[in-house]
């Protein structure tokens, strides 16, 4: 909608400015020029600084199933990256899952809490969402609603679980 306002205001400004014969038409032309500048500024603020948007965090908790098919030991697997400070965790949330899922790599923080009561994965996902329907109506064409910001995963493991690298699990 904001794009439509920009187009209409620039056309109205141009037409009224070209054909202005009195002060009223000139003033209306300046009003459309001001609308054009303000709407363009609002569009740029929405795209660059998320004007009209707020951060929304959703939390989901799912039970964990051992990453390995082994009946002997329940485990959560991870693959260290680079110097070992970054890790990709491989997990399953359902027995029917053939292959484990992996955590994302960009804008993700992973934590492991040991000595928990139950094996579960808590995910907090933060996204940009429009503050209300007016902003969604004005800026919805930009396609930036529900834009991903970051994710925080917390893996809670009871004492009976092991935390192993992929290489350790192969041996």
């Amino acid at each position: 909608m904001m794009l439509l306002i920009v187009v209409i205001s620039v056309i109205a400004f141009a037409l009224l400015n070209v054909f202005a014969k009195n002060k009223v038409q000139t003033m209306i032309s300046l009003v459309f020029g001001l609308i054009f500048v303000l709407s363009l500024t609002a569009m740029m603020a929405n795209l660059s600084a998320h004007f009209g948007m707020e951060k929304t965090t959703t939390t989901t908790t799912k039970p964990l199933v051992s990453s390995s098919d082994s009946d002997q030991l329940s485990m959560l697997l991870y693959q260290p990256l680079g110097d070992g400070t970054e890790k990709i965790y491989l997990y399953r949330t359902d027995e029917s899952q053939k292959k484990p899922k992996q955590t994302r790599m960009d804008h993700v923080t992973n934590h492991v809490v040991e000595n928990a009561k139950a094996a579960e994965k808590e995910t907090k996902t933060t996204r940009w969402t429009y503050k209300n329907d007016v902003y969604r109506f004005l800026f919805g064409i930009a396609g930036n609603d529900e834009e991903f910001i970051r994710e925080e995963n917390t893996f809670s493991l009871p004492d009976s679980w092991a935390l192993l690298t992929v290489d350790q699990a192969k041996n």
Side-chain angles (χ1 to χ4, degrees):
M1 184 62 184
M2 191 57 71
L3 192 58
L4 186 62
I5 292 171
V6 168
V7 170
I8 290 172
S9 64
V10 78
I11 290 171
F13 173 76
L15 288 176
L16 285 171
N17 214 8
V18 170
F19 299 114
K21 295 183 179 170
N22 57 37
K23 290 183 183 182
V24 173
Q25 287 178 327
T26 303
M27 292 304 285
I28 294 172
S29 171
L30 292 176
V31 167
F32 278 114
L34 182 63
I35 291 171
F36 168 73
V37 169
L38 291 175
S39 58
L40 199 58
T41 302
M43 280 177 49
M44 295 308 297
N46 175 260
L47 292 173
S48 63
H50 300 286
F51 171 71
M53 302 184 93
E54 61 188 358
K55 291 180 181 179
T56 305
T57 301
T58 56
T59 302
T60 57
T61 304
K62 293 184 178 182
L64 283 177
V65 177
S66 179
S67 298
S68 169
D69 292 331
S70 171
D71 292 334
Q72 298 172 355
L73 179 65
S74 296
M75 63 182 80
L76 176 65
L77 299 175
Y78 69 92
Q79 178 67 46
L81 301 176
D83 62 0
T85 57
E86 295 179 1
K87 300 173 184 170
I88 296 176
Y89 287 87
L90 305 169
Y91 65 93
R92 294 188 323 158
T93 56
D94 190 1
E95 287 285 346
S96 63
Q97 226 177 296
K98 298 284 186 208
K99 288 189 171 189
K101 296 179 187 176
Q102 68 180 28
T103 55
R104 299 166 86 153
M105 290 182 277
D106 293 335
H107 307 290
V108 175
T109 306
N110 296 308
H111 303 284
V112 176
V113 176
E114 298 188 64
N115 302 325
K117 293 179 182 176
E120 59 186 20
K121 175 187 174 248
E122 179 183 79
T123 303
K124 293 180 182 177
T125 306
T126 306
R127 298 180 181 277
W128 285 110
T129 58
Y130 288 111
K131 290 181 181 178
N132 55 43
D133 288 337
V134 173
Y135 289 115
R136 184 173 284 108
F137 176 72
L138 290 173
F139 302 113
I141 196 169
N144 58 356
D145 194 21
E146 300 288 326
E147 183 180 334
F148 178 78
I149 300 172
R150 70 176 166 269
E151 182 176 275
E152 184 176 328
N153 297 311
T154 303
F155 295 95
S156 300
L157 303 177
D159 290 335
S160 60
W161 278 58
L163 179 62
L164 301 172
T165 66
V166 174
D167 291 337
Q168 289 172 333
K170 286 180 183 176
N171 295 335

